Amino acid sequence: MKPLENILQNAASAQKTIVLSEGTDPRVIQAAIDARKLDVARIILVLDKGSEGTRPAALDEEIEGLEVHDPSSSPVTQELADLYYSMRKHKGISPEQALEQAKIAHVYAALLVKAGHADGCIGGAVLSSAEVIKTAIQVIGVAEGTKLVSSFFLFLFCEDHHTRKGACIFSDAGLVVDPSAEELCEIAIASAHSFQDLTNETARIAMLSFSTRGSAKHHAVSKVQKATDLAREAAPDLLIDGELQFDAAFVPEVAQSKAADSPIAGNANVFIFPNLDAGNIGYKIAQRIGGATAIGPILQGLSHPANDLSRGCSSEDILHMIAVTTAQSLHKDKTTSSVEQQV
């Protein structure tokens, strides 16, 4: 679990503020308590203070030590409503409707980030992914120069039966259903940068297919081939190969026989799936049969970090996502500082 330990340590040193929008859920509350104890981040827990009956009474005392916001009575709700109105008035929303929206927990959380009161937000333990992601895109917005918001899972292979230990990324396994070649290119480059930001290791990107180096002919194969060419042209500094079958990307001996001149030589750590069918099925197999630890879906391409949770997540999963969200915010700070220095 070394990569995760590094992420947790870096998060603790950053002291970022992360908003958890589903503060009535016991798993979310426990993760907030654990994050505070481990000093992973400063936590804002969003909840309706009149809803204590929905959580175990044993957690009430622990909540007293957390920063809790009730959108219906928070002193910043009107400020956030004004911000929301300025962003959405072109869609015909009224000030009164903006205030009602700002009182909704997950919208309130995203607005806190947009307004600069927090560094990132997390939801999805209760809400659907569609609602969490839609709000993140509408309120927080996409990063400058980015055309596509996508997602990835950070995988940790740390068990005794894992022949190769360490971290890798599966993308896109949670959001973009049927990416074009151009979108696959964007996903590959964004995922490579995400991997390097989280692990401080060199990304080795495999563009996955059911074909290796032209072993099969099909329009689905051609799409991956085109995406590989586009990614190499757009990011010549990255190690990218494709199209590759998974075994040629993951097993050096297979790579030697199927793609002997591959620059990643069967040691890929960023796996780009051709569509959501393959990505989602693949990540669940790696997690449920392979026994790998999966953190995600983690969003990439937003102007500020906002992440989704699985509704089957545990409090430990949420704690890990808090650390990852903090790490994303740290990278944003570095990128902003670098751009400012160049200007």
Side-chain angles (χ1 to χ4, degrees), residues 14-228:
Q15 284 302 290
K16 295 291 185 177
T17 299
I18 305 300
V19 190
L20 305 181
S21 64
E22 297 163 323
T24 58
D25 188 284
R27 298 166 297 172
V28 175
I29 297 169
Q30 187 61 58
I33 293 166
D34 293 341
R36 183 194 62 194
K37 288 179 178 177
L38 294 172
D39 204 26
V40 171
R42 293 190 293 267
I43 300 295
I44 296 175
L45 199 62
V46 181
L47 58 86
D48 177 353
K49 290 183 180 176
S51 63
E52 284 86 351
T54 64
R55 64 177 182 262
L59 292 175
D60 284 350
E61 186 176 341
E62 296 276 14
I63 286 178
E64 293 302 316
L66 298 170
E67 183 175 349
V68 176
H69 287 208
D70 180 353
S72 65
S73 59
S74 168
V76 301
T77 298
Q78 187 60 57
E79 174 197 342
L80 301 183
D82 293 342
L83 173 60
Y84 191 82
Y85 174 68
S86 71
M87 295 166 54
R88 305 293 293 171
K89 62 183 178 182
H90 69 286
K91 293 289 188 180
I93 192 171
S94 69
E96 293 75 20
Q97 290 171 322
L99 180 58
E100 288 305 308
Q101 286 293 308
K103 290 180 180 179
I104 299 172
H106 69 285
V107 179
Y108 178 92
L111 285 167
L112 280 177
V113 177
K114 183 68 174 180
H117 295 301
D119 300 295
C121 61
I122 299 171
V126 178
L127 281 179
S128 69
S129 293
E131 190 63 30
V132 171
I133 294 169
K134 181 182 78 172
T135 299
I137 293 172
Q138 286 183 347
V139 175
I140 294 175
V142 300
E144 186 175 352
T146 299
K147 298 177 183 177
L148 181 72
V149 175
S150 58
S151 75
F152 65 91
F153 280 80
L154 177 65
F155 270 90
L156 305 173
F157 294 91
C158 311
E159 302 298 329
D160 290 343
H161 67 272
H162 291 144
T163 56
R164 204 173 94 192
K165 305 292 194 293
C168 72
I169 274 179
F170 282 18
S171 185
D172 188 332
L175 183 56
V176 184
V177 177
D178 189 18
S180 65
E182 290 76 13
E183 289 172 332
L184 271 181
C185 166
E186 278 218 28
I187 291 168
I189 294 171
S191 299
H193 291 153
S194 292
F195 178 82
Q196 291 173 168
D197 295 341
L198 290 174
T199 67
N200 291 318
E201 297 177 13
T202 299
R204 298 183 295 276
I205 308 104
M207 308 295 285
L208 297 178
S209 174
F210 60 84
S211 168
T212 294
R213 299 287 189 82
S215 63
K217 304 296 182 185
H218 191 272
H219 63 83
V221 175
S222 299
K223 181 181 79 168
V224 178
Q225 291 170 338
K226 180 179 178 181
T228 304

Side-chain angles (χ1 to χ4, degrees), residues 1-14 40 152 154 156 167 194-195 197-200 295 298 319-328 330:
M1 300 293 279
K2 181 74 171 171
L4 181 58
E5 291 170 8
N6 291 339
I7 291 170
L8 287 166
Q9 289 171 3
N10 291 336
S13 67
V40 171
F152 65 91
L154 177 65
L156 305 173
S194 292
F195 178 82
D197 295 341
L198 290 174
T199 67
N200 291 318
I295 303 174
I298 302 165
L319 175 65
H320 295 165
M321 189 65 89
I322 292 170
V324 166
T325 306
T326 296
Q328 288 178 306
L330 270 172

